[in-house]
Amino acid sequence: MNLKVISKATVVNQYLPKKLTAKTTVTAFAPSNIALCKYWGKRDVELNLPLNSSLSISLGHLGSHTRISHSDSGGDVILLNTKEQALDSSFSRKILDFIALFRRTQPLPLIIDTRNNIPTAAGLASSASGFAALMIALNDFFDLQLDKPTLSAFARMGSGSASRSVFSGFVRWDMGEQSDGMDSVASQLDSHWPGFCIGLIKVSSVQKPVDSRSGMARTIKTSNLYASWPAQASADLLSIEAAIKNKNFSDLGQSAEKNALSMHATMMSAWPPLVYWLPESLAVMHKIWQLRSDGIAVYFTMDAGPNLKLLFESSAKKILEIEFPDMEIIQPFGNE
Ligand code: DP6
């Protein structure tokens, strides 16, 4: 593997015309996604190149809508859920840094209007859908005519998990091995699973103290268990992909839950320890294990936060709606 570090700007620049032409206004949508096999750890922090491949399910119509239009005021305007954001806020800076990769030195003031329809109660991160929608919108606005793998690679430079949000359904992000990362892209699996459900359970909406980016860096640096993660993740990815192909729900659930807990084991063994769980998270896990021993096929996955995402099929929906009355249910492929 070639580990030479290349800048984002160097990679992106090769795909751009010297001078951009801009449309007046465009809109784009990208779904949020939940990883069933997690991305945890980078081999290149500049390009967000991962140390393992991952696999996710996109959340249908839940995600980010982004509108880009020309700004007449002479300066950029950044809106999030209709509220104007200070240009020096961390949200605005991330967006402006990303846009700078495309605008380079051209004076093209823009209005970037991002609206997330992810239920705020769900405790889901919006950077994946946000960067994917922004990339799709930029491609249209500047008429870049980039293909889907390139959009995925560029969205990844904003946030790793955004590479997967360029697609719907089940999506695999191959880690790749090139130093410019252009083979580290996602693609959609040719699988449709009507009745597949994801339940969002919020146990807390408090901002996580350590975000995924810093959490990964700390884990790699300080956890002895991390050495076992890439091999575990690649084995889990194979099982999950096979389970999706064969529509074997219990195999999928087991591998996804085990994968999430293995990732959390690496986090907990970091120093200072990264324990994203709250007592309520553990209570929900115990409830799920009890429901499983009572014969209900329900599994969970968790990211770098205290909230749980339940995995089940529509046959278990009624009973789970009673057990978890506040759960938001998403069926990315609709009903059976
Ligand atoms: C635990 O994609 O948010 O949700 O690449 O630094 O922006 P950056 O990280 P991010 O990490 C997501 C980590 C995860 C697992 C996953 O979604 O695969």
Side-chain angles (χ1 to χ4, degrees):
M1 200 180 289
N2 183 350
L3 291 176
K4 199 174 96 206
V5 176
I6 302 176
S7 76
K8 293 195 254 291
T10 306
V11 178
V12 173
N13 204 30
Q14 296 169 32
Y15 291 79
L16 302 180
K18 273 212 171 61
K19 194 170 173 327
L20 295 172
T21 50
K23 292 187 181 165
T24 324
T25 181
V26 301
T27 57
F29 169 77
S32 190
N33 77 75
I34 304 285
L36 302 173
C37 178
K38 309 294 182 188
Y39 144 55
W40 194 247
K42 305 181 194 204
R43 65 177 195 277
D44 180 324
V45 293
E46 163 72 9
L47 299 173
N48 289 334
L49 298 179
L51 276 158
N52 65 278
S53 300
S54 57
L55 192 152
S56 61
I57 173 83
S58 287
L59 297 188
H61 67 285
L62 293 183
S64 305
H65 286 271
T66 299
R67 173 191 294 269
I68 302 184
S69 43
H70 178 78
S71 163
D72 292 328
S73 69
D76 293 318
V77 179
I78 310 278
L79 299 152
L80 174 60
N81 295 334
T82 73
K83 285 201 189 74
E84 189 167 346
Q85 306 292 304
L87 292 180
D88 60 355
S89 66
S90 81
F91 178 82
S92 299
R93 272 189 283 121
K94 279 185 213 155
I95 289 192
L96 293 171
D97 285 351
F98 191 74
I99 291 172
L101 295 171
F102 300 87
R103 250 186 333 199
R104 294 161 294 176
T105 52
Q106 270 187 261
L108 287 164
L110 300 174
I111 304 172
I112 310 287
D113 180 353
T114 308
R115 294 171 201 215
N116 298 324
N117 64 3
I118 306 156
T120 39
L124 282 180
S126 52
S127 66
S129 56
F131 277 110
L134 180 59
M135 187 58 242
I136 295 167
L138 286 168
N139 184 46
D140 189 9
F141 190 77
F142 293 129
D143 196 22
L144 302 176
Q145 298 180 27
L146 301 171
D147 60 13
K148 281 256 185 161
T150 310
L151 293 178
S152 171
F154 289 179
R156 185 240 307 135
M157 295 181 192
S159 180
S161 49
S163 64
R164 300 184 307 237
S165 274
V166 167
F167 300 94
S168 55
F170 291 109
V171 180
R172 191 187 63 234
W173 169 17
D174 290 310
M175 60 182 287
E177 54 175 30
Q178 286 172 211
S179 50
D180 69 356
M182 290 313 289
D183 58 348
S184 184
V185 297
S187 57
Q188 189 170 344
L189 303 189
D190 183 21
S191 289
H192 199 71
W193 194 328
F196 188 91
C197 298
I198 297 145
L200 306 176
I201 297 207
K202 189 200 79 165
V203 304
S204 165
S205 51
V206 176
Q207 184 94 29
K208 52 191 170 190
V210 181
D211 64 18
S212 305
R213 193 160 291 191
S214 337
M216 287 183 206
R218 186 191 296 179
T219 306
I220 293 190
K221 207 164 157 207
T222 63
S223 161
N224 289 334
L225 293 189
Y226 185 79
S228 67
W229 168 254
Q232 169 78 48
S234 80
D236 292 340
L237 188 125
L238 287 178
S239 328
I240 293 171
E241 221 175 324
I244 292 172
K245 212 168 164 201
N246 304 326
K247 301 227 169 22
N248 184 328
F249 184 71
S250 58
D251 276 5
L252 181 143
Q254 273 177 41
S255 300
E257 186 172 306
K258 187 170 177 215
N259 179 267
L261 290 172
S262 303
M263 175 183 72
H264 280 271
T266 71
M267 296 163 165
M268 287 178 195
S269 56
W271 197 263
L274 284 164
V275 182
Y276 287 102
W277 303 357
L278 291 176
E280 298 87 328
S281 318
L282 199 52
V284 176
M285 289 183 209
H286 279 284
K287 188 164 168 175
I288 290 166
W289 293 326
Q290 182 59 52
L291 285 163
R292 264 212 317 266
S293 72
D294 295 343
I296 295 152
V298 55
Y299 297 83
F300 68 85
T301 184
M302 286 178 83
D303 294 302
N307 301 314
L308 287 91
K309 289 95 182 183
L310 269 49
L311 308 170
F312 51 94
E313 290 186 286
S314 51
S315 48
K317 197 168 156 183
K318 267 210 177 82
I319 176 113
L320 293 172
E321 275 173 336
I322 297 167
E323 294 290 340
F324 301 101
D326 297 329
M327 172 168 70
E328 163 102 21
I329 300 176
I330 297 133
Q331 289 191 240
F333 306 99
N335 249 318
E336 289 189 85

